[in-house]
Short mmCIF file of all heavy atoms in Angstrom, two decimals:
data_model
loop_
_atom_site.label_atom_id
_atom_site.label_comp_id
_atom_site.label_asym_id
_atom_site.label_seq_id
_atom_site.Cartn_x
_atom_site.Cartn_y
_atom_site.Cartn_z
N ALA E 1809 -149.87 -109.20 -48.13
CA ALA E 1809 -150.35 -110.16 -49.12
C ALA E 1809 -149.54 -110.11 -50.43
O ALA E 1809 -149.72 -110.93 -51.30
CB ALA E 1809 -151.83 -109.84 -49.45
N MET E 1810 -148.63 -109.11 -50.52
CA MET E 1810 -147.83 -108.87 -51.72
C MET E 1810 -148.76 -108.73 -52.95
O MET E 1810 -148.59 -109.41 -53.97
CB MET E 1810 -146.79 -109.95 -51.93
CG MET E 1810 -145.73 -110.01 -50.84
SD MET E 1810 -144.91 -108.39 -50.56
CE MET E 1810 -143.97 -108.21 -52.08
N GLU E 1811 -149.75 -107.86 -52.80
CA GLU E 1811 -150.68 -107.55 -53.85
C GLU E 1811 -150.67 -106.05 -54.12
O GLU E 1811 -150.42 -105.26 -53.24
CB GLU E 1811 -152.11 -107.99 -53.49
CG GLU E 1811 -152.26 -109.50 -53.35
CD GLU E 1811 -153.67 -109.89 -52.93
OE1 GLU E 1811 -154.42 -108.99 -52.45
OE2 GLU E 1811 -154.03 -111.09 -53.09
N ALA E 1812 -150.98 -105.68 -55.35
CA ALA E 1812 -151.00 -104.27 -55.75
C ALA E 1812 -152.15 -104.04 -56.70
O ALA E 1812 -152.59 -104.93 -57.43
CB ALA E 1812 -149.68 -103.89 -56.38
N GLN E 1813 -152.63 -102.79 -56.71
CA GLN E 1813 -153.66 -102.41 -57.67
C GLN E 1813 -153.68 -100.90 -57.81
O GLN E 1813 -153.15 -100.17 -56.98
CB GLN E 1813 -155.04 -102.89 -57.21
CG GLN E 1813 -155.51 -102.29 -55.91
CD GLN E 1813 -156.87 -102.79 -55.48
OE1 GLN E 1813 -157.51 -103.59 -56.15
NE2 GLN E 1813 -157.37 -102.28 -54.37
N ARG E 1814 -154.31 -100.46 -58.91
CA ARG E 1814 -154.46 -99.03 -59.10
C ARG E 1814 -155.44 -98.49 -58.05
O ARG E 1814 -156.55 -99.02 -57.91
CB ARG E 1814 -154.97 -98.72 -60.49
CG ARG E 1814 -153.91 -98.79 -61.58
CD ARG E 1814 -154.41 -98.13 -62.85
NE ARG E 1814 -153.39 -98.12 -63.89
CZ ARG E 1814 -153.34 -97.20 -64.84
NH1 ARG E 1814 -154.25 -96.24 -64.90
NH2 ARG E 1814 -152.39 -97.24 -65.75
N ALA E 1815 -155.05 -97.38 -57.38
CA ALA E 1815 -155.91 -96.75 -56.42
C ALA E 1815 -156.42 -95.42 -56.91
O ALA E 1815 -157.46 -94.92 -56.46
CB ALA E 1815 -155.17 -96.57 -55.09
N TRP E 1816 -155.70 -94.79 -57.84
CA TRP E 1816 -156.05 -93.46 -58.33
C TRP E 1816 -155.27 -93.19 -59.59
O TRP E 1816 -154.12 -93.64 -59.73
CB TRP E 1816 -155.72 -92.39 -57.27
CG TRP E 1816 -156.02 -90.97 -57.64
CD1 TRP E 1816 -157.21 -90.31 -57.41
CD2 TRP E 1816 -155.16 -90.02 -58.25
NE1 TRP E 1816 -157.11 -89.01 -57.86
CE2 TRP E 1816 -155.86 -88.78 -58.38
CE3 TRP E 1816 -153.85 -90.08 -58.71
CZ2 TRP E 1816 -155.30 -87.65 -58.94
CZ3 TRP E 1816 -153.28 -88.95 -59.30
CH2 TRP E 1816 -154.02 -87.74 -59.39
N ASP E 1817 -155.87 -92.49 -60.52
CA ASP E 1817 -155.13 -92.05 -61.70
C ASP E 1817 -155.74 -90.78 -62.26
O ASP E 1817 -156.88 -90.45 -62.02
CB ASP E 1817 -155.03 -93.15 -62.78
CG ASP E 1817 -156.39 -93.67 -63.22
OD1 ASP E 1817 -157.27 -92.86 -63.55
OD2 ASP E 1817 -156.59 -94.90 -63.19
N TYR E 1818 -154.92 -90.06 -63.00
CA TYR E 1818 -155.38 -88.82 -63.65
C TYR E 1818 -154.66 -88.68 -64.98
O TYR E 1818 -153.42 -88.72 -65.04
CB TYR E 1818 -155.12 -87.60 -62.77
CG TYR E 1818 -155.55 -86.31 -63.46
CD1 TYR E 1818 -156.86 -85.84 -63.35
CD2 TYR E 1818 -154.64 -85.57 -64.21
CE1 TYR E 1818 -157.25 -84.70 -63.99
CE2 TYR E 1818 -155.02 -84.42 -64.84
CZ TYR E 1818 -156.34 -83.99 -64.77
OH TYR E 1818 -156.73 -82.83 -65.41
N GLY E 1819 -155.45 -88.50 -66.05
CA GLY E 1819 -154.91 -88.20 -67.34
C GLY E 1819 -155.59 -86.97 -67.87
O GLY E 1819 -156.77 -86.68 -67.55
N ASP E 1820 -154.87 -86.18 -68.66
CA ASP E 1820 -155.46 -84.95 -69.21
C ASP E 1820 -156.64 -85.33 -70.09
O ASP E 1820 -156.57 -86.29 -70.88
CB ASP E 1820 -154.41 -84.19 -70.02
CG ASP E 1820 -154.96 -82.88 -70.54
OD1 ASP E 1820 -154.97 -81.90 -69.82
OD2 ASP E 1820 -155.42 -82.85 -71.72
N PRO E 1821 -157.77 -84.58 -69.98
CA PRO E 1821 -158.95 -84.92 -70.81
C PRO E 1821 -158.67 -84.89 -72.30
O PRO E 1821 -159.35 -85.59 -73.07
CB PRO E 1821 -159.98 -83.83 -70.43
CG PRO E 1821 -159.55 -83.40 -69.05
CD PRO E 1821 -158.06 -83.50 -69.02
N ASP E 1822 -157.66 -84.10 -72.71
CA ASP E 1822 -157.31 -84.04 -74.14
C ASP E 1822 -156.24 -85.06 -74.55
O ASP E 1822 -155.70 -84.96 -75.63
CB ASP E 1822 -156.87 -82.63 -74.48
CG ASP E 1822 -157.96 -81.60 -74.35
OD1 ASP E 1822 -159.14 -81.99 -74.58
OD2 ASP E 1822 -157.66 -80.44 -74.03
N CYS E 1823 -155.91 -85.97 -73.62
CA CYS E 1823 -154.96 -87.06 -73.90
C CYS E 1823 -153.59 -86.53 -74.30
O CYS E 1823 -153.19 -86.58 -75.46
CB CYS E 1823 -155.50 -88.00 -74.99
SG CYS E 1823 -154.44 -89.46 -75.27
N VAL E 1824 -152.86 -86.00 -73.31
CA VAL E 1824 -151.51 -85.57 -73.56
C VAL E 1824 -150.60 -86.81 -73.52
O VAL E 1824 -150.65 -87.62 -72.61
CB VAL E 1824 -151.06 -84.56 -72.47
CG1 VAL E 1824 -149.56 -84.26 -72.60
CG2 VAL E 1824 -151.88 -83.30 -72.56
N LEU E 1825 -149.75 -86.94 -74.54
CA LEU E 1825 -148.79 -88.03 -74.61
C LEU E 1825 -147.39 -87.39 -74.58
O LEU E 1825 -146.96 -86.74 -75.50
CB LEU E 1825 -148.95 -88.88 -75.85
CG LEU E 1825 -148.00 -90.06 -76.01
CD1 LEU E 1825 -148.20 -91.05 -74.86
CD2 LEU E 1825 -148.20 -90.76 -77.35
N VAL E 1826 -146.68 -87.61 -73.48
CA VAL E 1826 -145.37 -87.00 -73.28
C VAL E 1826 -144.30 -87.88 -73.93
O VAL E 1826 -144.31 -89.09 -73.81
CB VAL E 1826 -145.12 -86.87 -71.75
CG1 VAL E 1826 -143.68 -86.46 -71.49
CG2 VAL E 1826 -146.06 -85.88 -71.11
N SER E 1827 -143.38 -87.24 -74.63
CA SER E 1827 -142.32 -87.99 -75.33
C SER E 1827 -141.00 -87.97 -74.57
O SER E 1827 -140.06 -88.65 -75.00
CB SER E 1827 -142.12 -87.42 -76.73
OG SER E 1827 -141.73 -86.06 -76.68
N PHE E 1828 -140.91 -87.19 -73.49
CA PHE E 1828 -139.63 -87.08 -72.79
C PHE E 1828 -139.94 -86.71 -71.32
O PHE E 1828 -140.74 -85.83 -71.06
CB PHE E 1828 -138.77 -86.00 -73.46
CG PHE E 1828 -137.46 -85.71 -72.77
CD1 PHE E 1828 -136.50 -86.70 -72.64
CD2 PHE E 1828 -137.17 -84.46 -72.31
CE1 PHE E 1828 -135.27 -86.45 -72.04
CE2 PHE E 1828 -135.95 -84.18 -71.68
CZ PHE E 1828 -135.01 -85.18 -71.56
#
Side-chain angles (χ1 to χ4, degrees):
M1810 295 307 291
E1811 295 178 343
Q1813 63 179 1
R1814 282 195 176 207
W1816 180 89
D1817 55 52
Y1818 178 86
D1820 183 83
D1822 294 329
C1823 185
V1824 173
L1825 182 62
V1826 171
S1827 60
F1828 177 62

